[in-house]
Every structure is written in structure tokens, then in C-alpha cells.
Amino acid sequence: MKISEVIQLRNIKVGQVLNDKLGNSWVFETTLVSEAISLISQKTNSALAVLDTKKSIVGIVTEKDIIGALNENGTKALKQEINTVMTKNPKVADSNETCEQVLVTMIDKNFRNMPITEGGTFIGVVQTLEVAEGKISELFLENTKLRKLLSQFMDPKNVLTPEDEVSQIKVLFEEKDVPYVIVEEKSKVKAVISEKDIVKLLSSSDIDRSTLKIK
């Protein structure tokens, strides 16, 4: 296995931080606004995915959408169907996308919530805070200035490339007693890999350990 694969596997996927799964995280497009309010009041999340009869995502409804409907139509809005107040055809993320990818989209589009699918099937709604927390857990390693500073103090012999084998990291950890390894590509720091990353990799049930070449 190449170091480039370790870097990719290390990134936290949005499906891993998703808390608002199925359950009360969605309504049918014919659901009344009053029923949606009842569901939202029971949740920490302020949005619901809207599905059609085939369970396909057709919209998302937020507190802001409902407040806007109430402001415009008064209490009559409570008897409206959700499809009259929802945001249609919302941006959807796949559970395998990284928190960084999803967070960039949410910030760029000013989304507070986003429906998540797995294999095309709706599995829940993620909040900006959840995605941000997932990314924050990697922030230390993602800080460009810090990584550049670390690379300046690392022995060049301890700097590897994405195409090097994972076994070379093990040698540095065990024989050279280094706490982390700098990975560079085209003279730029691409990642910092720690022993914790390798332990997490080895403990993953999805990894074929025979390809790691670590003995």
C-alpha cells in the first residue's frame, strides 16, 4: 500500500459524523407544515429532508422556510403542505465525501444543513457544526504553516513521498523513534502522518492488511 492511500483513508468522511439519521429527519412532500414543526421541535437539528413517495429527495425544509411561510400567510401556513414552503432540489452530499469537501460546499452556498445519501439512498441530514467538528479533528495536521514549519526541522531522511510504501513509515517510527513523518509531493508538504494514523488504519475492518507490507 502506498502512503498516498493512507492520506486518503485518514480523511474523516461526512457519514462518520452524521447524527441525525433517518428516524425523524425527513417528511413526505405532502406532510403538513404543522406536522413538520412538531418534528423539528423534538430535534436538535433545525431541518428536515423532504421525500416523495419513492423516497427520493425532492427538497429540504428549515426553520427559516417555515418562519417565512408563517410571516407571509399567518396561521393558514400551518395547513399548507411542505412542498409549498420547502427549498426544492437541494444540494446533496454522499456519505463517502470528506468533511472538508462538504464543509467547503456548505460555507460556499451558505447552507446550515445538507441531506446525506449512501448509494443514492437518503440516510440523514448533517449540520454545519457536525461537519466542522469532523474537520477540526484534522485541523492540526491540515495547518499549512505548521506543516511547513515541521518540515524545516525534520531530517530530510524522514521525509517521504505519497508513492513510498507504508512499511517505510514503520521503520522510521520504530528504528528512528520519530513521532511523525512528513510526506512531500513536488517539494510541497502534503501531509503529516502520526503513529495514531497507522494504528487506526490497521484497526480498520475494511483494509486488506496483506497489502500494507508491514511485518
Side-chain angles (χ1 to χ4, degrees), residues 86-141:
M86 70 183 187
T87 299
K88 299 180 180 179
N89 303 314
K91 177 69 176 177
V92 175
D94 185 87
S95 61
N96 282 318
E97 290 185 55
T98 66
C99 286
E100 181 173 7
Q101 291 172 315
V102 176
L103 186 59
V104 168
T105 299
M106 296 181 85
I107 292 174
D108 183 53
K109 302 296 183 181
N110 196 29
F111 294 156
R112 290 178 59 192
N113 305 273
M114 187 180 292
I116 304 299
T117 60
E118 190 169 88
T121 301
F122 170 72
I123 62 169
V125 176
V126 74
Q127 302 179 76
T128 308
L129 183 59
E130 293 172 321
V131 182
E133 287 176 344
K135 183 56 190 172
I136 286 171
S137 69
E138 296 177 19
L139 195 56
F140 178 85
L141 298 180

Side-chain angles (χ1 to χ4, degrees), residues 27-42:
V27 291
F28 281 120
E29 57 184 334
T30 54
T31 299
L32 297 181
V33 170
S34 59
E35 296 176 81
I37 291 175
S38 178
L39 282 177
I40 290 176
S41 67
Q42 300 171 38

Side-chain angles (χ1 to χ4, degrees), residues 157-158 160 165-178 181 213-215:
K157 295 179 181 178
N158 299 337
L160 301 177
E165 296 291 337
V166 174
S167 56
Q168 292 176 250
I169 297 178
K170 182 175 183 291
V171 171
L172 291 174
F173 283 159
E174 295 186 351
E175 297 182 10
K176 303 295 182 179
D177 195 31
V178 298
V181 171
K213 299 181 181 180
I214 295 181
K215 300 181 180 180

